[in-house]
Amino acid sequence: MGAYKYMEELWRHKQSDALRFLLRVRAWEYRQRNKITKVHVPTRTDKAHRLGYKAKQGYVVVRCGVRRGGRKRQNHRGMVWGKPKHQGINQLKFERNLQSVAEEKVGRKYANLRVLNSYWINQDATMKYYEIILVDPSHTKIRNDARINWIVNPVHKHRECRGLTSAGRKSRGLRKKGHRANGIKGGSYRAAWLNRNTQKLKRYR
């Protein structure tokens, strides 16, 4: 087995003594730093490379902390001047996952870079920490690399805000293939519904 395979096995056993100690110490360190921090090397090298990271110019890795928990409704004194159905304040959950929120936070801060992918690195009682892989679309090394220069195209600006990254696609329910994806044929469940409920008649019939 190669080195990355051993690293993968290590990260797979998060309850082992070694990893529990490492995560506890790192969580303390992350709490002292800024929520969004650029890191020189990825914490999980094997995972980063599986998600498209290359150790060369034009690639940036940023760590982002996101507060855990649901999303309380922002209403003054918790008062909703409407029907009882809409009066819930506390037990509401945000539609997207925290990983896509972390991607969006980083994408807004580093607006000149493109979000490629992200992965979990740590969490404690109040925070979850992710590392986000960013690509510089104006860097010559990126523009000349045929494997990654698709991201230079302007349609990929702020893809993290439009649910096009892996974490974003997960919250849209698009991580399915085959017969399980019947409900999302055409790109989304709305597209599938519209397709099924539209009457199509041939011109000459």
Side-chain angles (χ1 to χ4, degrees):
M1 290 198 299
Y4 282 176
K5 204 70 183 166
Y6 283 109
M7 288 175 74
E8 188 184 339
E9 282 299 309
L10 262 175
W11 275 96
R12 210 169 258 175
H13 299 97
K14 293 182 178 65
Q15 290 287 333
S16 66
D17 287 351
L19 218 58
R20 278 174 69 183
F21 174 75
L22 259 181
L23 293 176
R24 194 170 77 240
V25 172
R26 282 176 181 165
W28 175 85
E29 186 198 338
Y30 297 163
R31 280 199 297 275
Q32 316 309 315
R33 302 278 175 89
N34 293 334
K35 294 281 187 295
I36 298 176
T37 314
K38 195 168 82 167
V39 294
H40 297 298
V41 286
T43 308
R44 300 175 63 181
T45 322
D46 58 323
K47 184 72 170 170
H49 279 276
R50 257 179 292 155
L51 296 178
Y53 171 79
K54 300 273 184 213
K56 67 180 205 175
Q57 292 175 340
Y59 284 86
V60 182
V61 179
V62 175
R63 184 177 65 241
C64 179
V66 190
R67 194 167 288 281
R68 295 174 68 176
R71 187 187 179 280
K72 187 177 178 181
R73 196 192 292 274
Q74 301 285 304
N75 277 35
H76 180 60
R77 289 183 178 173
M79 291 185 289
V80 180
W81 305 106
K83 297 178 179 175
K85 175 186 170 68
H86 301 296
Q87 281 173 350
I89 296 293
N90 279 327
Q91 297 194 0
L92 306 174
K93 278 74 179 173
F94 188 50
E95 189 99 345
R96 290 186 290 126
N97 51 42
L98 292 179
Q99 188 170 347
S100 71
V101 173
E103 288 178 350
E104 189 177 336
K105 279 175 180 284
V106 171
R108 287 187 195 284
K109 181 162 184 178
Y110 297 86
N112 62 322
L113 305 179
R114 306 272 159 85
V115 174
L116 179 63
N117 226 320
S118 63
Y119 52 92
W120 178 95
I121 48 165
N122 209 330
Q123 69 186 51
D124 56 22
T126 55
M127 303 292 290
K128 277 200 178 191
Y129 297 96
Y130 297 95
E131 276 183 4
I132 289 90
I133 304 164
L134 300 159
V135 179
D136 184 358
S138 54
H139 202 291
T140 320
K141 286 279 185 342
I142 299 297
R143 296 175 85 89
N144 291 341
D145 187 349
R147 284 203 183 94
I148 192 65
N149 63 9
W150 55 269
I151 210 163
V152 173
N153 202 321
V155 296
H156 295 296
K157 286 179 183 177
H158 290 291
R159 52 203 294 273
E160 73 284 351
C161 295
R162 296 175 288 133
L164 301 181
T165 57
S166 185
R169 284 172 60 81
K170 184 181 182 183
S171 61
R172 288 166 61 199
L174 298 180
R175 273 207 193 157
K176 295 187 176 78
K177 285 185 177 180
H179 69 90
R180 294 189 305 156
N182 285 338
I184 51 168
K185 273 183 183 174
S188 68
Y189 74 89
R190 288 189 186 89
W193 178 89
L194 189 67
N195 215 14
R196 279 196 301 272
N197 289 277
T198 306
Q199 190 175 22
K200 300 181 188 71
L201 300 170
K202 289 187 174 178
R203 186 178 172 193
Y204 298 110
R205 62 185 191 274

